[in-house]
Amino acid sequence: MVSATTAVSAPLPDAWHLDRINQQQLPLDSNAALSALTGAGINIYIVDSGVLATHEQFGGRVVPGIDIPTSMGDSVVNPETSDCDGHGTHVSALAAGSTVGVAPQARIIAVRVLDCDGGGNVNDVVEALKWIRGHHQSGVAAIANLSLGVDLGDNGRAIDTQVAALIEEGIVVTVAAGNGDENGQSVNACNIAPGDVPRALTVGATTITDSMATYSNSGPCIDLLAPGGTSQRPVLSAWKTSPTAYDNDVGTSMASPLVAGYAALLAQQQPGLCTDQIANAIVARATPGVLTGVSSTTPNRLLFINTAPIDAGVPGQPSHVVTTVDNASVVASWDAPCDGGSPITSTTASLLRNGKVLARKTVAPGKTAVRFSGLKNNYKYQVVIKARNAVGEGVATHRVTTGMVRSLRVGLNTPLTYVATFGGDLELGWNVAASSRSICRVMGVNVRFLRPGTCKVGLRTNAGGTPVLRSLRVSR
Ligand SMILES: [Ca+2]
Ligand SMILES: [Ca+2]
């Protein structure tokens, strides 16, 4: 086992959930130390009922993210993203609490979608997941935990779509498999969103004696199981009522954040890793065959914290591709992807028309924009971006279609999306720099060119993120 430096004091030795996952076989050895790694610097988005940020388990490491129930006008909490239910605080400390959590120095980003009764609705979760996608810094590993679920038949696919997009964006997503039907009887996790998303890590629950919890959902969509407890031996973690409050809880909701914390340890050790590398390692390193009561369709794999380095792979897919048309030219920019654990050595941008490659430009590491000039006006083009490292060529972006290339002239009043497009389903927001407001102005959904000169605009996804700055040349 790896070295043990994690400070364990306060509510131990009740933390059997940590004691169990640093060893492969029972009996428990009363050692709950996990790793010299702490998750420091890694963001874990907790999509839940909010977080009591002042709890002693967090040491100031909770950042308010977004508070959907407040913005929707019900179940208001003050401050925003704090927790009037308790579930989110409990879950967060299991991921990143200083003594009950797996990643005791990771940063928690509180994303509040559940109300004071732990309930929520699909549209709020969808909105929260889009916010995360805009907020996340591309190419930097991050984790999101969803200890929540909805029947696929209740519009669950809308959540699935956003979870899949988060993973593509470079976020490891851990999901509670769910706690059975209304009678507590285990159901197939493949019927629950977002646990059915293949690239998500879907986590079932085990008891202190290594049986699969009877309430835990099951089936082939489970990736691995982790301690979730029973009413006899529940899981102890932080509670909402005071900075020193603790409470016991039971469920797959408790198992999932333990996996989220482990992902944060691996991401801290190798920050360039792509999501699938982390997820695949977590599954591959789980202890096989030690659990009882596991149905034949459910993988018999128990979470095991093993922080050996992960082998490098090819880079991931560049993201946030923004294309801007200018006079007879197109500027493409993107966010660098995860590097697969080996530095990116070059990135290739290809320009296509009607599926045919017209130009290909290779840019050095660190450069994330390129201009294609000498283009014909009145055509749309497509761009494809692909990074490479010592292991090989990475995953290409989808083809991003540009606006129609044409001369930007005084008097032109054109839709913003005609001039710049964003390669995804997030909306793009615009503003014009104060210095160029005499040259151009955003009027509703249009940009109007008033005088010749340089029109400086900032583009950002409406969900947030770093703005992309562009200069458009306005001619007479
Ligand atoms: Ca142990
Ligand atoms: Ca999976």
Side-chain angles (χ1 to χ4, degrees), residues 43 77 83 129 160 166 180 221 262 306 328 355 394:
N43 288 341
V77 289
D83 184 5
L129 299 178
D160 284 355
L166 280 189
C221 289
Y262 179 28
N306 167 358

Side-chain angles (χ1 to χ4, degrees), residues 300-319:
N300 192 324
R301 286 195 287 256
L302 176 64
L303 173 63
F304 178 57
I305 307 295
N306 167 358
T307 53
I310 294 171
D311 289 346
V314 299
Q317 193 178 41
S319 61

